[in-house]
Amino acid sequence: MFQTAGCFLHVKTAEDKHTVVEEYLRWYILHRNQSVIQRFKEGLASLHFLTALQQHPCVLAPLLCHSQTNLTAADMESLFRPHLSPAGSNSRQKEGKALGFWADFLLDCEEKATAVSLEDILMFATGLASLPPAGMTPLPCIDFLPDSPFPMSNTCANTLKLPLLETYSVFKTNMEFGLQNSPGFGCI
Protein backbone atom coordinates (compact mmCIF):
# COMPACT_ATOMS: atom_id res chain seq x y z
CA MET A 1 0.00 0.00 0.00
CA PHE A 2 2.86 2.39 0.79
CA GLN A 3 4.40 1.75 -2.62
CA THR A 4 1.05 2.35 -4.36
CA ALA A 5 0.67 5.59 -2.40
CA GLY A 6 4.15 6.70 -3.45
CA CYS A 7 5.51 6.90 0.08
CA PHE A 8 7.50 3.70 0.39
CA LEU A 9 10.60 5.16 2.03
CA HIS A 10 13.27 4.03 4.41
CA VAL A 11 12.47 5.55 7.81
CA LYS A 12 15.41 6.64 9.93
CA THR A 13 13.91 9.06 12.45
CA ALA A 14 10.60 9.66 14.20
CA GLU A 15 10.10 12.73 12.01
CA ASP A 16 10.50 10.56 8.89
CA LYS A 17 7.88 8.21 10.32
CA HIS A 18 5.41 11.09 10.81
CA THR A 19 6.10 12.36 7.29
CA VAL A 20 5.43 8.92 5.78
CA VAL A 21 2.23 8.55 7.81
CA GLU A 22 1.01 12.03 6.77
CA GLU A 23 1.72 11.36 3.09
CA TYR A 24 0.03 7.97 3.24
CA LEU A 25 -3.08 9.35 4.98
CA ARG A 26 -3.31 12.24 2.50
CA TRP A 27 -3.18 9.73 -0.35
CA TYR A 28 -5.59 7.27 1.31
CA ILE A 29 -8.23 9.84 2.24
CA LEU A 30 -7.99 12.36 -0.60
CA HIS A 31 -6.12 11.20 -3.68
CA ARG A 32 -7.27 7.58 -3.70
CA ASN A 33 -10.91 8.69 -3.75
CA GLN A 34 -10.45 11.79 -5.92
CA SER A 35 -12.12 10.31 -9.01
CA VAL A 36 -15.10 9.10 -6.97
CA ILE A 37 -15.47 12.49 -5.30
CA GLN A 38 -15.22 14.23 -8.67
CA ARG A 39 -17.93 12.00 -10.20
CA PHE A 40 -20.16 12.67 -7.18
CA LYS A 41 -19.69 16.42 -7.60
CA GLU A 42 -20.47 16.15 -11.33
CA GLY A 43 -23.67 14.27 -10.52
CA LEU A 44 -24.73 16.97 -8.07
CA ALA A 45 -23.84 19.67 -10.60
CA SER A 46 -25.99 18.09 -13.33
CA LEU A 47 -29.12 19.07 -11.38
CA HIS A 48 -27.61 22.37 -10.16
CA PHE A 49 -27.75 20.95 -6.65
CA LEU A 50 -24.02 21.53 -6.13
CA THR A 51 -24.44 25.23 -6.92
CA ALA A 52 -27.35 25.52 -4.48
CA LEU A 53 -25.34 23.66 -1.86
CA GLN A 54 -22.36 25.98 -2.30
CA GLN A 55 -24.51 29.13 -2.26
CA HIS A 56 -26.71 28.14 0.70
CA PRO A 57 -24.81 25.67 2.89
CA CYS A 58 -26.63 26.67 6.09
CA VAL A 59 -30.04 25.93 4.59
CA LEU A 60 -29.16 22.45 3.37
CA ALA A 61 -26.85 21.40 6.21
CA PRO A 62 -29.65 20.12 8.48
CA LEU A 63 -30.84 17.83 5.67
CA LEU A 64 -27.42 16.49 4.72
CA CYS A 65 -25.41 16.53 7.95
CA HIS A 66 -26.07 14.74 11.19
CA SER A 67 -26.27 16.90 14.27
CA GLN A 68 -26.56 15.38 17.70
CA THR A 69 -29.74 16.56 19.41
CA ASN A 70 -31.17 15.28 22.64
CA LEU A 71 -34.39 13.35 22.26
CA THR A 72 -37.40 14.44 24.26
CA ALA A 73 -40.42 12.50 25.42
CA ALA A 74 -42.57 14.64 23.11
CA ASP A 75 -40.32 13.78 20.14
CA MET A 76 -40.60 10.08 20.85
CA GLU A 77 -44.34 10.18 21.42
CA SER A 78 -44.96 11.98 18.14
CA LEU A 79 -42.46 9.80 16.26
CA PHE A 80 -44.16 6.47 17.01
CA ARG A 81 -47.65 6.08 15.53
CA PRO A 82 -49.88 3.49 17.25
CA HIS A 83 -51.79 0.86 15.31
CA LEU A 84 -55.04 0.72 17.28
CA SER A 85 -57.95 -1.72 17.29
CA PRO A 86 -61.42 -0.46 16.28
CA ALA A 87 -62.91 2.18 18.58
CA GLY A 88 -65.14 0.77 21.30
CA SER A 89 -63.53 -2.67 21.37
CA ASN A 90 -62.06 -4.21 24.54
CA SER A 91 -58.67 -4.31 22.87
CA ARG A 92 -58.83 -0.59 22.14
CA GLN A 93 -59.41 0.18 25.82
CA LYS A 94 -56.36 -1.88 26.82
CA GLU A 95 -54.30 -0.24 24.06
CA GLY A 96 -55.34 3.21 25.28
CA LYS A 97 -54.20 2.28 28.77
CA ALA A 98 -50.87 1.00 27.39
CA LEU A 99 -50.40 4.27 25.44
CA GLY A 100 -50.90 6.18 28.69
CA PHE A 101 -48.26 3.99 30.33
CA TRP A 102 -46.02 4.57 27.28
CA ALA A 103 -46.31 8.36 27.62
CA ASP A 104 -45.53 8.18 31.35
CA PHE A 105 -42.59 5.87 30.68
CA LEU A 106 -41.17 8.31 28.11
CA LEU A 107 -41.45 11.16 30.62
CA ASP A 108 -39.72 9.05 33.27
CA CYS A 109 -36.93 8.27 30.79
CA GLU A 110 -36.54 11.95 29.93
CA GLU A 111 -36.37 12.84 33.64
CA LYS A 112 -33.84 10.02 34.16
CA ALA A 113 -36.17 8.24 36.59
CA THR A 114 -35.63 4.92 34.79
CA ALA A 115 -32.66 2.68 34.11
CA VAL A 116 -32.97 3.30 30.35
CA SER A 117 -32.77 6.41 28.19
CA LEU A 118 -34.86 7.62 25.27
CA GLU A 119 -31.91 6.75 23.03
CA ASP A 120 -32.02 3.18 24.35
CA ILE A 121 -35.69 2.96 23.38
CA LEU A 122 -34.95 4.32 19.90
CA MET A 123 -32.13 1.80 19.47
CA PHE A 124 -34.36 -1.04 20.70
CA ALA A 125 -37.18 -0.17 18.30
CA THR A 126 -35.31 1.00 15.20
CA GLY A 127 -31.65 0.03 15.51
CA LEU A 128 -30.70 3.73 15.39
CA ALA A 129 -28.85 5.58 18.13
CA SER A 130 -30.23 8.94 17.02
CA LEU A 131 -32.72 10.39 14.56
CA PRO A 132 -31.35 10.62 11.01
CA PRO A 133 -31.49 14.06 9.34
CA ALA A 134 -33.64 12.85 6.43
CA GLY A 135 -36.13 10.99 8.64
CA MET A 136 -36.95 7.29 8.73
CA THR A 137 -38.63 4.93 6.31
CA PRO A 138 -40.79 3.21 7.29
CA LEU A 139 -42.09 5.54 9.97
CA PRO A 140 -41.86 4.03 13.46
CA CYS A 141 -45.07 2.53 14.82
CA ILE A 142 -46.42 0.88 17.94
CA ASP A 143 -48.18 -2.47 18.00
CA PHE A 144 -49.50 -4.22 21.08
CA LEU A 145 -48.74 -7.61 22.64
CA PRO A 146 -51.65 -9.16 24.53
CA ASP A 147 -49.70 -12.34 25.29
CA SER A 148 -46.26 -11.11 26.37
CA PRO A 149 -45.27 -9.20 29.51
CA PHE A 150 -42.18 -7.73 27.83
CA PRO A 151 -41.68 -5.37 24.88
CA MET A 152 -40.50 -6.63 21.51
CA SER A 153 -39.41 -4.88 18.36
CA ASN A 154 -38.89 -5.37 14.68
CA THR A 155 -36.03 -3.08 13.66
CA CYS A 156 -36.54 -3.75 9.94
CA ALA A 157 -40.09 -2.41 10.14
CA ASN A 158 -39.33 0.17 12.88
CA THR A 159 -42.03 -1.40 15.02
CA LEU A 160 -42.15 -1.33 18.80
CA LYS A 161 -44.50 -3.86 20.38
CA LEU A 162 -45.77 -2.82 23.81
CA PRO A 163 -47.16 -5.24 26.39
CA LEU A 164 -50.74 -4.81 27.60
CA LEU A 165 -50.40 -4.75 31.39
CA GLU A 166 -52.64 -3.72 34.28
CA THR A 167 -50.49 -1.27 36.24
CA TYR A 168 -47.86 1.32 35.39
CA SER A 169 -45.36 -0.06 37.90
CA VAL A 170 -45.41 -3.49 36.20
CA PHE A 171 -45.26 -1.83 32.76
CA LYS A 172 -42.23 0.25 33.78
CA THR A 173 -40.42 -2.68 35.39
CA ASN A 174 -41.02 -4.94 32.39
CA MET A 175 -40.04 -2.25 29.89
CA GLU A 176 -36.78 -1.61 31.73
CA PHE A 177 -36.07 -5.33 31.98
CA GLY A 178 -36.88 -5.94 28.31
CA LEU A 179 -34.79 -3.01 27.08
CA GLN A 180 -31.79 -3.77 29.31
CA ASN A 181 -31.72 -7.47 28.51
CA SER A 182 -31.83 -7.22 24.74
CA PRO A 183 -28.38 -6.37 23.43
CA GLY A 184 -28.02 -5.27 19.84
CA PHE A 185 -31.18 -4.30 18.06
CA GLY A 186 -33.58 -5.25 20.83
CA CYS A 187 -35.06 -8.53 19.59
CA ILE A 188 -36.13 -10.80 22.43
Side-chain angles (χ1 to χ4, degrees), residues 127-155:
L128 298 171
S130 62
L131 295 175
M136 284 188 267
T137 302
L139 292 174
C141 65
I142 294 176
D143 285 338
F144 300 93
L145 294 169
D147 55 353
S148 173
F150 300 105
M152 291 188 200
S153 67
N154 179 337
T155 56

mmCIF file of all heavy atoms in Angstrom, residues 127-155:
data_model
loop_
_atom_site.group_PDB
_atom_site.id
_atom_site.type_symbol
_atom_site.label_atom_id
_atom_site.label_comp_id
_atom_site.label_asym_id
_atom_site.label_seq_id
_atom_site.Cartn_x
_atom_site.Cartn_y
_atom_site.Cartn_z
ATOM 1 N N GLY A 127 -33.053 0.330 15.804
ATOM 2 C CA GLY A 127 -31.652 0.030 15.513
ATOM 3 C C GLY A 127 -30.824 1.281 15.302
ATOM 4 O O GLY A 127 -29.665 1.204 14.925
ATOM 5 N N LEU A 128 -31.396 2.456 15.562
ATOM 6 C CA LEU A 128 -30.696 3.726 15.390
ATOM 7 C C LEU A 128 -30.404 4.355 16.740
ATOM 8 O O LEU A 128 -31.265 4.370 17.620
ATOM 9 C CB LEU A 128 -31.541 4.700 14.562
ATOM 10 C CG LEU A 128 -31.872 4.267 13.141
ATOM 11 C CD1 LEU A 128 -32.898 5.209 12.524
ATOM 12 C CD2 LEU A 128 -30.615 4.227 12.301
ATOM 13 N N ALA A 129 -29.217 4.918 16.876
ATOM 14 C CA ALA A 129 -28.846 5.576 18.128
ATOM 15 C C ALA A 129 -29.386 6.998 18.204
ATOM 16 O O ALA A 129 -29.527 7.561 19.280
ATOM 17 C CB ALA A 129 -27.332 5.592 18.271
ATOM 18 N N SER A 130 -29.682 7.589 17.062
ATOM 19 C CA SER A 130 -30.233 8.939 17.024
ATOM 20 C C SER A 130 -31.081 9.081 15.762
ATOM 21 O O SER A 130 -31.024 8.239 14.866
ATOM 22 C CB SER A 130 -29.113 9.985 17.034
ATOM 23 O OG SER A 130 -28.305 9.837 15.893
ATOM 24 N N LEU A 131 -31.844 10.171 15.705
ATOM 25 C CA LEU A 131 -32.718 10.386 14.561
ATOM 26 C C LEU A 131 -31.906 10.838 13.358
ATOM 27 O O LEU A 131 -31.109 11.778 13.457
ATOM 28 C CB LEU A 131 -33.771 11.443 14.895
ATOM 29 C CG LEU A 131 -34.765 11.061 15.982
ATOM 30 C CD1 LEU A 131 -35.678 12.243 16.320
ATOM 31 C CD2 LEU A 131 -35.590 9.873 15.551
ATOM 32 N N PRO A 132 -32.082 10.200 12.206
ATOM 33 C CA PRO A 132 -31.348 10.620 11.008
ATOM 34 C C PRO A 132 -31.898 11.942 10.469
ATOM 35 O O PRO A 132 -33.089 12.233 10.617
ATOM 36 C CB PRO A 132 -31.589 9.477 10.019
ATOM 37 C CG PRO A 132 -32.770 8.739 10.532
ATOM 38 C CD PRO A 132 -32.891 9.009 11.986
ATOM 39 N N PRO A 133 -31.050 12.763 9.843
ATOM 40 C CA PRO A 133 -31.488 14.064 9.341
ATOM 41 C C PRO A 133 -32.627 13.976 8.319
ATOM 42 O O PRO A 133 -33.498 14.834 8.298
ATOM 43 C CB PRO A 133 -30.238 14.660 8.691
ATOM 44 C CG PRO A 133 -29.106 13.850 9.150
ATOM 45 C CD PRO A 133 -29.630 12.545 9.614
ATOM 46 N N ALA A 134 -32.624 12.950 7.492
ATOM 47 C CA ALA A 134 -33.637 12.846 6.434
ATOM 48 C C ALA A 134 -34.886 12.078 6.880
ATOM 49 O O ALA A 134 -35.761 11.805 6.077
ATOM 50 C CB ALA A 134 -33.034 12.182 5.202
ATOM 51 N N GLY A 135 -34.970 11.719 8.148
ATOM 52 C CA GLY A 135 -36.128 10.985 8.635
ATOM 53 C C GLY A 135 -35.951 9.492 8.460
ATOM 54 O O GLY A 135 -34.901 9.010 8.047
ATOM 55 N N MET A 136 -37.006 8.746 8.779
ATOM 56 C CA MET A 136 -36.953 7.287 8.729
ATOM 57 C C MET A 136 -38.027 6.732 7.815
ATOM 58 O O MET A 136 -39.129 7.270 7.753
ATOM 59 C CB MET A 136 -37.191 6.705 10.120
ATOM 60 C CG MET A 136 -36.016 6.815 11.020
ATOM 61 S SD MET A 136 -36.273 5.904 12.540
ATOM 62 C CE MET A 136 -36.943 7.186 13.558
ATOM 63 N N THR A 137 -37.667 5.667 7.124
ATOM 64 C CA THR A 137 -38.627 4.931 6.311
ATOM 65 C C THR A 137 -38.426 3.459 6.602
ATOM 66 O O THR A 137 -37.300 2.977 6.480
ATOM 67 C CB THR A 137 -38.393 5.201 4.814
ATOM 68 O OG1 THR A 137 -38.511 6.604 4.591
ATOM 69 C CG2 THR A 137 -39.403 4.471 3.975
ATOM 70 N N PRO A 138 -39.438 2.759 6.997
ATOM 71 C CA PRO A 138 -40.794 3.213 7.289
ATOM 72 C C PRO A 138 -40.849 3.992 8.604
ATOM 73 O O PRO A 138 -39.955 3.884 9.435
ATOM 74 C CB PRO A 138 -41.584 1.903 7.405
ATOM 75 C CG PRO A 138 -40.576 0.885 7.819
ATOM 76 C CD PRO A 138 -39.277 1.310 7.197
ATOM 77 N N LEU A 139 -41.917 4.768 8.744
ATOM 78 C CA LEU A 139 -42.089 5.535 9.971
ATOM 79 C C LEU A 139 -42.287 4.583 11.150
ATOM 80 O O LEU A 139 -42.953 3.553 11.017
ATOM 81 C CB LEU A 139 -43.295 6.460 9.847
ATOM 82 C CG LEU A 139 -43.132 7.607 8.851
ATOM 83 C CD1 LEU A 139 -44.440 8.361 8.700
ATOM 84 C CD2 LEU A 139 -42.027 8.543 9.296
ATOM 85 N N PRO A 140 -41.714 4.908 12.298
ATOM 86 C CA PRO A 140 -41.864 4.034 13.462
ATOM 87 C C PRO A 140 -43.324 3.928 13.905
ATOM 88 O O PRO A 140 -44.080 4.894 13.825
ATOM 89 C CB PRO A 140 -41.029 4.728 14.541
ATOM 90 C CG PRO A 140 -40.078 5.586 13.791
ATOM 91 C CD PRO A 140 -40.805 6.020 12.561
ATOM 92 N N CYS A 141 -43.695 2.743 14.369
ATOM 93 C CA CYS A 141 -45.068 2.533 14.820
ATOM 94 C C CYS A 141 -45.072 1.678 16.084
ATOM 95 O O CYS A 141 -44.066 1.078 16.445
ATOM 96 C CB CYS A 141 -45.909 1.898 13.726
ATOM 97 S SG CYS A 141 -45.391 0.242 13.272
ATOM 98 N N ILE A 142 -46.225 1.667 16.724
ATOM 99 C CA ILE A 142 -46.423 0.881 17.938
ATOM 100 C C ILE A 142 -47.507 -0.148 17.675
ATOM 101 O O ILE A 142 -48.592 0.193 17.192
ATOM 102 C CB ILE A 142 -46.830 1.775 19.124
ATOM 103 C CG1 ILE A 142 -45.682 2.705 19.503
ATOM 104 C CG2 ILE A 142 -47.264 0.932 20.321
ATOM 105 C CD1 ILE A 142 -46.024 3.699 20.594
ATOM 106 N N ASP A 143 -47.193 -1.391 17.978
ATOM 107 C CA ASP A 143 -48.175 -2.466 18.001
ATOM 108 C C ASP A 143 -48.292 -2.929 19.449
ATOM 109 O O ASP A 143 -47.505 -2.517 20.310
ATOM 110 C CB ASP A 143 -47.744 -3.636 17.107
ATOM 111 C CG ASP A 143 -47.923 -3.337 15.623
ATOM 112 O OD1 ASP A 143 -48.722 -2.448 15.282
ATOM 113 O OD2 ASP A 143 -47.249 -3.996 14.809
ATOM 114 N N PHE A 144 -49.244 -3.799 19.711
ATOM 115 C CA PHE A 144 -49.499 -4.221 21.083
ATOM 116 C C PHE A 144 -49.416 -5.739 21.207
ATOM 117 O O PHE A 144 -49.776 -6.462 20.285
ATOM 118 C CB PHE A 144 -50.867 -3.708 21.535
ATOM 119 C CG PHE A 144 -50.937 -2.206 21.493
ATOM 120 C CD1 PHE A 144 -51.414 -1.552 20.377
ATOM 121 C CD2 PHE A 144 -50.492 -1.440 22.564
ATOM 122 C CE1 PHE A 144 -51.457 -0.168 20.312
ATOM 123 C CE2 PHE A 144 -50.525 -0.057 22.515
ATOM 124 C CZ PHE A 144 -51.010 0.576 21.391
ATOM 125 N N LEU A 145 -48.938 -6.188 22.368
ATOM 126 C CA LEU A 145 -48.744 -7.611 22.644
ATOM 127 C C LEU A 145 -49.670 -8.053 23.767
ATOM 128 O O LEU A 145 -49.387 -7.792 24.940
ATOM 129 C CB LEU A 145 -47.295 -7.875 23.072
ATOM 130 C CG LEU A 145 -46.213 -7.643 22.044
ATOM 131 C CD1 LEU A 145 -44.844 -7.678 22.701
ATOM 132 C CD2 LEU A 145 -46.305 -8.696 20.967
ATOM 133 N N PRO A 146 -50.762 -8.706 23.449
ATOM 134 C CA PRO A 146 -51.655 -9.162 24.525
ATOM 135 C C PRO A 146 -51.120 -10.380 25.273
ATOM 136 O O PRO A 146 -51.542 -10.653 26.390
ATOM 137 C CB PRO A 146 -52.952 -9.504 23.785
ATOM 138 C CG PRO A 146 -52.526 -9.812 22.398
ATOM 139 C CD PRO A 146 -51.297 -8.982 22.122
ATOM 140 N N ASP A 147 -50.149 -11.077 24.698
ATOM 141 C CA ASP A 147 -49.705 -12.343 25.292
ATOM 142 C C ASP A 147 -48.257 -12.340 25.780
ATOM 143 O O ASP A 147 -47.691 -13.389 26.050
ATOM 144 C CB ASP A 147 -49.910 -13.475 24.290
ATOM 145 C CG ASP A 147 -49.220 -13.206 22.960
ATOM 146 O OD1 ASP A 147 -48.701 -12.098 22.771
ATOM 147 O OD2 ASP A 147 -49.194 -14.115 22.109
ATOM 148 N N SER A 148 -47.633 -11.180 25.899
ATOM 149 C CA SER A 148 -46.259 -11.108 26.374
ATOM 150 C C SER A 148 -46.136 -9.996 27.413
ATOM 151 O O SER A 148 -46.652 -8.903 27.204
ATOM 152 C CB SER A 148 -45.302 -10.831 25.216
ATOM 153 O OG SER A 148 -43.993 -10.613 25.710
ATOM 154 N N PRO A 149 -45.445 -10.249 28.499
ATOM 155 C CA PRO A 149 -45.275 -9.198 29.505
ATOM 156 C C PRO A 149 -44.125 -8.231 29.191
ATOM 157 O O PRO A 149 -43.965 -7.228 29.869
ATOM 158 C CB PRO A 149 -44.976 -9.985 30.780
ATOM 159 C CG PRO A 149 -44.317 -11.233 30.301
ATOM 160 C CD PRO A 149 -44.935 -11.539 28.971
ATOM 161 N N PHE A 150 -43.345 -8.539 28.152
ATOM 162 C CA PHE A 150 -42.176 -7.728 27.830
ATOM 163 C C PHE A 150 -42.301 -7.119 26.440
ATOM 164 O O PHE A 150 -42.970 -7.676 25.574
ATOM 165 C CB PHE A 150 -40.902 -8.576 27.922
ATOM 166 C CG PHE A 150 -40.684 -9.162 29.276
ATOM 167 C CD1 PHE A 150 -40.910 -10.506 29.508
ATOM 168 C CD2 PHE A 150 -40.276 -8.366 30.329
ATOM 169 C CE1 PHE A 150 -40.725 -11.047 30.764
ATOM 170 C CE2 PHE A 150 -40.088 -8.899 31.594
ATOM 171 C CZ PHE A 150 -40.327 -10.242 31.815
ATOM 172 N N PRO A 151 -41.625 -5.986 26.211
ATOM 173 C CA PRO A 151 -41.676 -5.373 24.881
ATOM 174 C C PRO A 151 -40.881 -6.186 23.868
ATOM 175 O O PRO A 151 -39.969 -6.923 24.227
ATOM 176 C CB PRO A 151 -41.032 -4.003 25.110
ATOM 177 C CG PRO A 151 -40.086 -4.227 26.248
ATOM 178 C CD PRO A 151 -40.764 -5.238 27.141
ATOM 179 N N MET A 152 -41.244 -6.035 22.625
ATOM 180 C CA MET A 152 -40.502 -6.628 21.509
ATOM 181 C C MET A 152 -40.387 -5.557 20.436
ATOM 182 O O MET A 152 -41.064 -4.534 20.474
ATOM 183 C CB MET A 152 -41.231 -7.844 20.949
ATOM 184 C CG MET A 152 -41.265 -9.023 21.843
ATOM 185 S SD MET A 152 -41.962 -10.420 20.928
ATOM 186 C CE MET A 152 -42.445 -11.463 22.249
ATOM 187 N N SER A 153 -39.535 -5.829 19.465
ATOM 188 C CA SER A 153 -39.410 -4.878 18.364
ATOM 189 C C SER A 153 -39.052 -5.601 17.082
ATOM 190 O O SER A 153 -38.571 -6.729 17.104
ATOM 191 C CB SER A 153 -38.349 -3.821 18.679
ATOM 192 O OG SER A 153 -37.073 -4.400 18.720
ATOM 193 N N ASN A 154 -39.310 -4.920 15.997
ATOM 194 C CA ASN A 154 -38.887 -5.368 14.676
ATOM 195 C C ASN A 154 -38.148 -4.180 14.075
ATOM 196 O O ASN A 154 -38.775 -3.222 13.630
ATOM 197 C CB ASN A 154 -40.096 -5.757 13.834
ATOM 198 C CG ASN A 154 -39.711 -6.213 12.442
ATOM 199 O OD1 ASN A 154 -38.648 -5.867 11.934
ATOM 200 N ND2 ASN A 154 -40.589 -6.973 11.821
ATOM 201 N N THR A 155 -36.816 -4.228 14.111
ATOM 202 C CA THR A 155 -36.031 -3.079 13.664
ATOM 203 C C THR A 155 -36.092 -2.875 12.157
ATOM 204 O O THR A 155 -35.871 -1.770 11.684
ATOM 205 C CB THR A 155 -34.560 -3.206 14.111
ATOM 206 O OG1 THR A 155 -34.038 -4.438 13.621
ATOM 207 C CG2 THR A 155 -34.452 -3.176 15.621
#
